[in-house]
């Protein structure tokens, strides 16, 4: 078991004087290595017996640590292959940031495929969100966002027409919010709702999930510093690959 891009073994150790169970100490270190990219998707953990001998642990203790990460979806046991890193889950803070920026900050190597980049008449829902007349022309962009070559989310955004140039090659090279900022738009605030539902057959096919698989949903209306609505986003995320982080404060 070596660090990503090197031949050096991961710096793993356990503290036998700690009240924290040995298996959990090991599981935490392995999880941190996955989250920080030191154990990349596809990496093999190697032989449990060798790892147990290296750390002076019993094989059941090592197996329990690894099973903890298997249960979290970070690793998988493959017959004839061994235990393999699958991915790290993206944990996104609830703040006014783009998925592209959050993936990049997490070292997830984001990639984008533009599925649609066009104008269309505004539906009642879109018109209400953007504050325009129903049937008036708006810009619609749909993108598939991936990380490490694995689908993460389907992103649908509607924008007022003429707000910002949206060329497909630029949308595939960077994030929407970066393009908006580059055009002089100052993003100020947003109204957002988070939910969950089952994947449709179309969504499942694009996201490489089973039809009916759980998806996280997010709808966001974003405003600039003048109070103008600049975008309405309606996104779905693979629940196994994505989570929203909340910080809750007690009322005084």
């Amino acid at each position: 078991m070596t660090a990503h891009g090197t031949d050096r073994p991961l710096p793993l150790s356990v503290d036998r004087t700690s009240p924290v169970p040995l298996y959990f100490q090991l599981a935490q270190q392995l999880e941190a290595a996955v989250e920080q990219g030191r154990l990349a998707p596809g990496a093999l953990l190697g032989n449990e017996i060798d790892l147990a001998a290296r750390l002076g642990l019993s094989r059941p203790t090592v197996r329990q640590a690894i099973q903890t990460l298997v249960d979290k979806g970070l690793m998988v046991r493959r017959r004839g292959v061994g235990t393999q890193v699958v991915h790290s889950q993206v944990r996104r803070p609830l703040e006014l940031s783009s998925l592209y920026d959050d993936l990049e900050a997490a070292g997830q190597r984001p990639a984008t495929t533009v599925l649609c980049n066009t104008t269309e008449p505004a539906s009642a829902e879109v018109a209400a969100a953007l504050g325009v007349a129903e049937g008036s022309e708006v810009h619609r962009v749909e993108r598939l966002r991936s990380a490490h070559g694995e689908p993460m989310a389907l992103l649908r955004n509607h924008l007022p027409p003429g707000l910002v140039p949206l060329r497909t090659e630029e949308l595939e090279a960077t994030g929407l919010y970066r393009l908006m900022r580059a055009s002089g738009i100052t993003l100020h605030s947003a109204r957002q709702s988070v939910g969950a539902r089952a994947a449709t057959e179309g969504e499942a096919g694009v996201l490489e999930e089973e039809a009916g698989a759980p998806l996280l949903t997010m709808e966001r209306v974003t405003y600039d510093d003048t109070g103008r609505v600049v975008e309405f986003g309606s996104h779905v995320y693979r629940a196994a690959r994505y989570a929203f982080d909340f910080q809750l404060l007690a009322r005084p």
Side-chain angles (χ1 to χ4, degrees), residues 35-57:
E35 297 290 351
Q36 295 164 11
R38 290 180 289 134
L39 277 177
L44 292 172
L45 289 193
N47 192 296
E48 290 180 2
I49 298 177
D50 292 342
L51 180 57
R54 175 183 155 197
L55 296 175
L57 298 173

Side-chain angles (χ1 to χ4, degrees), residues 45 98 112 116 119 146 182 196 198 205 227:
L45 289 193
S98 71
T112 305
C116 176
T119 57
S146 303

Side-chain angles (χ1 to χ4, degrees), residues 48 62-73 75 77:
E48 290 180 2
V62 173
R63 186 181 298 115
Q64 187 177 7
I66 292 173
Q67 187 61 45
T68 299
L69 302 186
V70 171
D71 293 341
K72 286 187 174 183
M75 297 181 183
R77 298 183 189 273

Side-chain angles (χ1 to χ4, degrees), residues 228-249:
R228 172 182 56 168
V229 177
V230 293
E231 64 112 5
F232 169 51
S234 180
H235 304 166
V236 293
Y237 306 84
R238 296 174 65 190
R241 293 287 285 111
Y242 206 81
F244 289 101
D245 273 347
F246 297 80
Q247 182 179 14
L248 304 178
L249 301 176

Side-chain angles (χ1 to χ4, degrees), residues 11-149:
L12 301 172
S13 62
V14 293
D15 180 2
R16 287 175 170 77
T17 66
S18 171
V20 178
L22 296 178
Y23 87 89
F24 192 71
Q25 292 184 44
L26 178 56
Q28 284 185 311
Q29 293 174 69
L30 291 174
E31 182 172 357
V34 174
E35 297 290 351
Q36 295 164 11
R38 290 180 289 134
L39 277 177
L44 292 172
L45 289 193
N47 192 296
E48 290 180 2
I49 298 177
D50 292 342
L51 180 57
R54 175 183 155 197
L55 296 175
L57 298 173
S58 68
R59 188 177 179 186
T61 296
V62 173
R63 186 181 298 115
Q64 187 177 7
I66 292 173
Q67 187 61 45
T68 299
L69 302 186
V70 171
D71 293 341
K72 286 187 174 183
L74 298 179
M75 297 181 183
V76 64
R77 298 183 189 273
R78 301 190 189 280
R79 186 180 298 275
V81 176
T83 304
Q84 192 171 30
V85 177
V86 180
H87 50 63
S88 59
Q89 187 182 55
V90 175
R91 305 189 67 83
R92 187 175 183 184
L94 281 182
E95 57 187 33
L96 188 50
S97 62
S98 71
L99 176 58
Y100 188 95
D101 291 340
D102 291 335
L103 287 171
E104 193 170 68
Q108 293 281 337
R109 299 201 303 271
T112 305
T113 301
V114 174
L115 306 177
C116 176
N117 183 13
T118 188
T119 57
E120 66 180 19
S123 66
E125 180 187 23
V126 170
L130 294 180
V132 299
E134 184 177 350
S136 62
E137 187 178 80
V138 295
H139 205 119
R140 177 166 65 94
V141 175
E142 292 190 19
R143 296 160 292 159
L144 172 65
R145 182 64 45 75
S146 303
H148 293 296

